[in-house]
Amino acid sequence: MKLLLVEDNTQLLFDMKEFLNANDFRVETASTLTEAKEKVNMYQYDLLIIDIGLPDGSGFELVKEIKKLKYETGILILTAKDAVGDKVEGLNLGADDYMTKPFHKAELNARIRSILRRNKFNKNDEIIFGDLKIDIAASEVFVKNEKIILTKKEYDLLLYFVQNPNRVITKESIAEYLWGDHADQADNFDFIYNHIKNLRKKISSAGGINYIQAMYGMGYKFSLNQD
């Protein structure tokens, strides 16, 4: 899952990013409102963690921007201690949850995972797609009730496909989703082909169908329809 962390406190930003990376999240950062707005207009995120007090404006402006764009993402706002008004305003604007500084990192992790489950998977801890079953809480994948072992990138790739069924997804979109800001440093997209090849092989070896269809010159489509 890919997060954008918007925080102007350099040390807190570093600490949070290190912690979230260690918990298998891909984290990009922004330290100003301007930088954060640029990123949400360029990239797709599963969840944004937004500090309200930014040097060039209020984090609420970013929440408003996201809602104006009809951007489907989770929003967790960070507020100062006892700032009841900020909490109420943030929730009224459409934020999913809030945390008060200072906070325990374990609680941050739990709040993030709760929002992701609630928003991305309609409060379900399991996704069923054909003969695939994905246990979101345990990060496990089953084909015809047989557990298959995926790498972190293969698992993230499968989730991305399942979230976008029957849609043509470009290689550029896949690269950006999996590698974020570093995707444009790649000389080519052979690494995507390798991940897709391995994912296909693991699903088919367990008796599953080929859900991933190559769309020549365009990208890939994840579908039950094999035409």
Side-chain angles (χ1 to χ4, degrees), residues 33 37 50 58-71 75 89-90 93-95:
L33 177 62
K37 283 185 175 182
I50 305 172
S58 169
F60 290 138
E61 293 303 312
L62 181 59
V63 178
K64 292 176 183 177
E65 178 83 2
I66 293 164
K67 295 304 177 181
K68 182 177 71 175
L69 293 171
K70 296 184 179 179
Y71 194 127
I75 300 174
E89 183 175 355
L93 287 173

Side-chain angles (χ1 to χ4, degrees), residues 24-25 32-33 35 45 64 70 72-73 92 96 105 109 115 130 146 156 165-166 176 189 216 221 223:
D24 295 326
F25 292 109
T32 66
L33 177 62
E35 184 182 7
Y45 300 96
K64 292 176 183 177
K70 296 184 179 179
E72 294 298 328
T73 183
N92 285 339
D96 295 281
K105 291 177 181 176
N109 186 28
I115 293 172
E146 177 186 338
D156 288 341
N166 303 311
E176 189 277 319
F189 294 113
Y216 184 75
K221 183 165 69 171
S223 175

Side-chain angles (χ1 to χ4, degrees), residues 140-202:
E140 294 178 342
V141 178
F142 300 83
V143 178
K144 295 183 176 179
N145 295 318
E146 177 186 338
K147 183 178 176 180
I148 61 174
I149 305 301
L150 304 180
T151 66
K152 180 66 170 60
K153 284 289 188 288
E154 290 164 0
Y155 178 78
D156 288 341
L157 178 60
L158 179 59
L159 281 184
Y160 188 47
F161 276 133
V162 170
Q163 291 170 27
N164 296 277
N166 303 311
R167 291 176 54 190
V168 176
I169 302 175
T170 65
K171 293 179 181 178
E172 290 81 2
S173 295
I174 295 172
E176 189 277 319
Y177 183 82
L178 293 179
W179 282 272
D181 290 342
H182 303 292
D184 57 4
Q185 298 175 15
D187 294 329
N188 56 59
F189 294 113
D190 287 348
F191 55 88
I192 293 176
Y193 171 77
N194 290 330
H195 283 302
I196 288 176
K197 180 181 69 174
N198 292 335
L199 180 58
R200 276 181 175 146
K201 183 177 179 180
K202 290 178 180 180

